[in-house]
Amino acid sequence: MEARMFAETDRAQLRALFSRAGEGAPTASLWGHEESEAAIYLDPYMDLEPSSLFVASVDGALVGYLAGCLDSAAFPSEGERIENAIRKYRLFFRRGPATFFARSLADLTVSKVRRRPTAGDFTDARWPSHLHINVAPEARGTGAADALMALWLDRLKAAGSPGCHLQTPAENTRAVRFFERAGFATHGPTPLVPGLRYEGRGVHQQTMVKNLR
């Protein structure tokens, strides 16, 4: 197993990996349209900050990746990326995405009536950097995720970042334990992610943070 910085020649293989790397996790797919989801959670990292993108491979085949960003304030927010994908791919006119957004609207309405918070972008100058990490099922437990995280933490320290945050489903207890082992601590409440379901139930967003100074 090898972990290294992303190279432009990895692009096609990494896009192929994206479709299955999160298999089994609550956020494996949002609305069942791979191209638009990749445009939100992978393509911007390849295009805008490839030096903070790392891949893990076995015998030359990619099995995992970590997409990072040193300064979230200088990077398009998740909300902006979702809005762009909705317009570009006309998601409201596609059956799967349209169902997701209708459910999101219902969740938001109920949460507003009950005065409950919902998930959203996280902004805090104490933890300006952020990351997403995904490893294919066959590579879980092999050390691939640990190797990717080690490269990312080295990158953060070299850049002088004061801290890093991430957001993961609270229901993904395996991921939460992994991040805790990497030194991240849970932060804040766990609001509902509008529209998202896992095994028929709502999914909640867990923010986690790590101080680097």
Side-chain angles (χ1 to χ4, degrees):
M1 194 278 297
E2 176 192 16
R4 56 173 174 78
M5 187 182 293
F6 166 80
E8 184 59 33
T9 52
D10 296 320
R11 182 177 288 263
Q13 193 178 166
L14 184 52
R15 279 295 301 270
L17 173 65
F18 177 82
S19 65
R20 65 186 185 87
E23 186 178 317
T27 51
S29 179
L30 293 178
W31 44 69
H33 185 257
E34 180 186 320
E35 190 173 0
S36 62
E37 292 178 10
I40 298 167
Y41 296 107
L42 179 62
D43 295 353
Y45 298 88
M46 291 194 290
D47 297 338
L48 303 176
E49 197 166 339
S51 57
S52 293
L53 177 59
F54 301 92
V55 296
S57 64
V58 174
D59 296 329
L62 298 188
V63 296
Y65 69 91
L66 185 154
C69 171
L70 291 176
D71 183 5
S72 300
F75 200 83
S77 71
E78 182 177 8
E80 292 171 335
R81 287 178 273 139
I82 290 175
E83 289 178 6
N84 289 337
I86 289 173
R87 288 194 297 269
K88 180 177 180 179
Y89 297 98
R90 298 171 61 83
L91 295 180
F92 286 126
F93 299 98
R94 297 177 182 270
R95 183 174 180 180
T99 299
F100 175 91
F101 290 120
R103 193 166 57 231
S104 297
L105 181 59
D107 285 346
L108 287 167
T109 300
V110 171
S111 295
K112 184 176 182 179
V113 169
R114 295 179 179 177
R115 297 182 180 181
R116 295 177 178 174
T118 53
D121 291 321
F122 177 82
T123 303
D124 194 307
R126 292 173 292 179
W127 305 289
S129 305
H130 75 258
L131 72 101
H132 303 286
I133 185 170
N134 272 314
V135 175
E138 70 271 17
R140 293 170 191 167
T142 65
D146 293 300
L148 290 168
M149 183 62 76
L151 288 174
W152 173 235
L153 293 178
D154 285 345
R155 165 88 168 130
L156 291 174
K157 292 174 183 176
S161 174
C164 181
H165 75 271
L166 62 92
Q167 293 177 310
T168 190
E171 290 77 9
N172 192 345
T173 55
R174 176 174 178 152
V176 172
R177 289 196 300 269
F178 167 75
F179 292 126
E180 288 176 336
R181 290 197 302 272
F184 287 81
T186 57
H187 177 79
T190 54
L192 180 71
V193 181
L196 192 59
R197 297 292 185 271
Y198 178 62
E199 297 181 345
R201 298 181 179 181
V203 175
H204 300 79
Q205 184 181 69
Q206 177 66 71
T207 297
M208 304 186 73
V209 298
K210 180 181 176 67
N211 294 316
L212 296 166
R213 290 181 183 171

